[in-house]
Amino acid sequence: MARAHQLAALAIADHRRRRVAEHVLTACVTDERQLALLTDASLCHGLAGLVQIVRRAVAVAGPDNEPAARLAQLHGRLDHEPHRRPPPPATGCSTMCSFRQTVASW
C-alpha cells in the first residue's frame, strides 16, 4: 500500500505525500513483527518481493528518501536469514514469474 501511495504522489507531483509514503514503507521494513510474517523468500509474497518493492521505491524516491538506508539491511536478511519454509512450488503466479525470468535472461 505504501508503494502505491508513493506512485500516486509521484503522479500528481505531491512531494509531501511522497515523503509520507516513503516514511510508511520504511516503518514497515523496520518493524520486526511485520517482517516475521514473511515466512519464505519468494518473490510473490515473501522477502524477495519486499526487497523488490523497496528497490523500486528507492529508484524513484527523492534525494531525502528513507527506504534507501534500509535496502542493504533487507538484502542482508534475504541472503543470510534462514527461512521457515521454502518458496511455494512453481504454479500460477510463481510459474509466470519463473517464465519471465527465464525469458529475460535469453
Side-chain angles (χ1 to χ4, degrees):
M1 295 299 290
R3 172 71 171 137
H5 189 86
Q6 181 201 35
L7 290 172
L10 288 167
I12 61 172
D14 187 331
H15 302 296
R16 185 190 63 77
R17 286 180 191 232
R18 177 193 52 82
R19 285 190 304 274
V20 167
E22 292 163 6
H23 177 75
V24 169
L25 180 59
T26 302
C28 291
V29 301
T30 56
D31 183 345
E32 287 299 321
R33 290 178 299 158
Q34 291 187 56
L35 291 173
L37 297 173
L38 300 173
T39 58
D40 62 52
S42 69
L43 184 61
C44 290
H45 297 101
L47 191 55
L50 181 61
V51 168
Q52 186 69 330
I53 289 168
V54 174
R55 270 185 179 164
R56 291 181 184 258
V58 166
V60 297
D64 58 339
N65 78 80
E66 294 179 60
R70 304 298 181 191
L71 190 54
Q73 291 172 329
L74 285 175
H75 276 282
R77 190 175 190 128
L78 183 60
D79 291 340
H80 298 102
E81 183 178 293
H83 299 285
R84 291 177 280 264
R85 282 188 293 160
T91 59
C93 176
S94 298
T95 301
M96 185 55 73
C97 292
S98 298
F99 174 75
R100 287 183 180 152
Q101 289 172 349
T102 302
V103 171
S105 66
W106 287 348

